[in-house]
Amino acid sequence: MKLNDKAFVAAVGCYAQLKPEELAAVDGVDLVLGATEKFKITDYINDLSKNDMGEVHSCEIEEADFYVGSYSIGDRTRAFLKVQDGCDYKCTYCTIPLARGISRSDALENVLKNASEISQQGIKEIVLTGVNIGDYGKGEFGNKKHEHTFLDLVKALDEVEGIERLRISSIEPNLLKNETIEFVSQSRTFVPHFHIPLQSGSNDILKKMKRRYMRELYTERVAKIREVMPHACIGVDVIVGFPGETDEHFLETYHFLNDLDISYLHVFTYSERDNTEAVDMDGVVPANVRSKRSKMLRGLSVKKRRAFYESQIGTNRTVLFESENKEGYIHGFTENYVKVKTPWNPELVNTLHEINLTKIDEDGSVRMEFINVEA
């Protein structure tokens, strides 16, 4: 709107489904489309009239029972391929089921077709995404008509010609089966990088959150990954300040993560969400305490990432270079998600190279040397 006050603005996404009227009242918003209506956006482009109040086309979330496959193509280096949507879990802090509907997924044949289309565009890496990706296999209307599991999907994608790398996005620990971990360890294309939500290292808090596992299962998953892929990168989601989280509960989480052989953390500070069970729970944690706990875990994440990077120094890896020139350097990520840098060379963009990791730079990325390649 700053560049063009006559621009027509359509708002879609979770917020548009949860709070359509509130979003429509935002200055400059002309159209709000809910969870099902967003797929009909082309039906509205013939009438781009601007109004004082945004026009709302919403739906009841129960109507979001069909699946529309999609993938991103804006990045020359990687594409995000959506294979699943919605969630049947009832975590007490989360509004995603209210915003995205029931768990449902794409047909395997269509996923493979989309993956092949991506590879034909010269994109080297595909990231599999979804709201609850490990629940892949449920068809439209939440049934099991696809008759394929997440492991079936992984095995089939590994055989698609032209794909250089496949990366699994966030996956629930109870849905990341040992068979999948073992397959990835021997895969042609899937990289040794897992991002596994934990949310709390306290079983008491996990129960209040209505998570579908206890911390002991999480420990087993990390141990299995380390057994078959010692060099794997393991990322963790964690929430601080959940209602009822005492200092003792938080310290349980801190020490659990400190002792766990993981590589980095994504730390989220709990915030109240309307229409969730947690919003009415006792034991509200003061904002300053939430902030302090978040800062402690972010500091732990820096320590964990540094230790992981140090463990990789001297090893040979494969890097995929990205397209941005950052202060005279080109960056990229190894298969196990170590961020590396080397002097800018446009010919390296979207190319894979065997490298040796040499030292950690001041900015936290890793310096490297090419192996048997002039560059």
Side-chain angles (χ1 to χ4, degrees):
M1 295 300 294
K2 289 182 179 179
L3 296 176
N4 182 1
D5 60 7
K6 294 183 175 60
F8 187 88
V9 178
V12 301
C14 292
Y15 191 45
Q17 175 63 32
L18 293 171
K19 300 286 184 72
E21 301 297 337
E22 188 174 304
L23 189 54
V26 173
D27 186 36
V29 172
D30 302 297
L31 179 66
V32 179
L33 302 178
T36 59
E37 296 302 307
K38 64 185 178 183
F39 299 109
K40 306 173 186 177
I41 192 168
T42 54
D43 295 346
Y44 299 99
I45 61 176
N46 290 327
D47 180 19
L48 301 184
S49 56
K50 296 184 69 63
N51 303 296
D52 293 335
M53 183 80 170
E55 183 178 337
V56 174
H57 294 271
S58 191
C59 69
E60 296 299 323
I61 197 58
E62 290 78 13
E63 298 173 25
D65 58 5
F66 57 91
Y67 186 86
V68 178
S70 62
Y71 58 84
S72 67
I73 54 174
D75 191 324
R76 292 174 56 190
T77 303
R78 67 178 54 83
F80 293 86
L81 173 57
K82 179 181 170 186
V83 300
Q84 184 273 342
D85 201 354
C87 187
D88 293 338
Y89 288 9
K90 305 298 181 185
C91 299
T92 56
Y93 54 82
C94 186
T95 57
I96 284 178
L98 302 175
R100 304 295 283 269
I102 59 173
S103 177
R104 55 208 188 273
S105 44
D106 205 353
L108 181 60
E109 297 76 16
N110 196 52
V111 173
L112 299 179
K113 178 182 73 69
N114 286 340
S116 181
E117 289 177 3
I118 292 169
S119 68
Q120 290 170 17
Q121 297 177 51
I123 295 171
K124 297 292 194 298
E125 180 174 305
I126 295 176
V127 182
L128 302 183
T129 66
V131 172
N132 190 357
I133 191 173
D135 205 30
Y136 176 85
K138 291 182 179 177
E140 292 180 355
F141 318 113
N143 59 35
K144 288 283 187 181
K145 71 176 183 179
H146 290 333
E147 297 181 354
H148 291 113
T149 65
F150 182 69
L151 180 57
D152 295 331
L153 172 71
V154 167
K155 288 181 175 179
L157 282 168
D158 197 49
E159 298 180 1
V160 176
E161 293 185 7
I163 297 177
E164 299 278 355
R165 278 185 178 181
L166 283 157
R167 197 178 297 273
I168 299 170
S169 65
S170 180
I171 182 168
E172 294 286 302
N174 55 302
L175 296 176
L176 177 59
K177 306 300 184 183
N178 285 341
E179 294 83 359
T180 302
I181 295 171
E182 289 168 356
F183 182 82
V184 168
S185 73
Q186 304 169 24
S187 166
R188 177 182 68 87
T189 56
F190 278 88
V191 296
H193 176 206
F194 296 88
H195 192 92
I196 314 169
L198 170 66
Q199 311 308 15
S200 177
S202 165
N203 283 342
D204 289 342
I205 299 301
L206 288 173
K207 290 174 184 176
K208 292 190 70 174
M209 290 177 166
K210 290 189 178 178
R211 301 292 286 165
R212 298 196 178 192
Y213 55 87
M214 292 291 98
R215 66 186 229 162
E216 289 76 14
L217 176 68
Y218 200 94
T219 301
E220 291 175 12
R221 291 293 182 266
V222 171
K224 182 61 180 180
I225 293 170
R226 288 284 172 241
E227 175 191 338
V228 296
M229 288 172 280
H231 62 296
C233 180
I234 304 175
V236 182
D237 285 342
V238 61
I239 297 172
V240 298
F242 187 81
E245 183 188 64
T246 63
D247 288 343
E248 290 74 18
H249 290 136
F250 172 71
L251 288 175
E252 267 193 273
T253 295
Y254 186 92
H255 292 306
F256 179 71
L257 290 167
N258 188 48
D259 295 339
L260 204 60
D261 191 3
I262 50 96
S263 311
Y264 64 90
L265 305 173
H266 282 174
V267 183
F268 300 90
T269 302
Y270 170 77
S271 59
E272 288 75 9
R273 294 287 185 268
D274 292 341
N275 301 314
T276 61
E277 287 187 52
V279 76
D280 295 319
M281 287 182 179
D282 296 330
V284 174
V285 179
N288 65 316
V289 176
R290 299 185 205 186
S291 178
K292 178 182 177 181
R293 292 174 183 174
S294 176
K295 186 176 181 179
M296 287 178 66
L297 284 184
R298 291 179 195 280
L300 180 60
S301 180
V302 172
K303 171 186 167 184
K304 287 288 187 179
R305 191 184 296 272
R306 177 83 184 195
F308 174 63
Y309 279 14
E310 287 177 348
S311 74
Q312 298 302 299
I313 298 302
T315 64
N316 295 341
R317 299 291 172 221
T318 302
V319 64
L320 173 59
F321 286 108
E322 302 188 340
S323 58
E324 190 175 354
N325 182 344
K326 295 183 179 179
E327 299 180 348
Y329 288 93
I330 187 171
H331 291 78
F333 286 92
T334 63
E335 67 273 28
N336 61 339
Y337 211 56
V338 174
K339 186 176 183 179
V340 305
K341 66 187 292 187
T342 197
W344 170 255
N345 179 349
E347 295 181 2
L348 294 177
V349 172
N350 197 35
T351 61
L352 288 153
H353 293 273
E354 296 294 319
I355 60 164
N356 179 263
L357 302 177
T358 58
K359 68 175 183 178
I360 302 177
D361 210 357
E362 292 179 358
D363 64 1
S365 58
V366 178
R367 294 275 188 163
M368 42 143 288
E369 294 178 350
F370 290 95
I371 299 175
N372 301 323
V373 175
E374 292 184 4

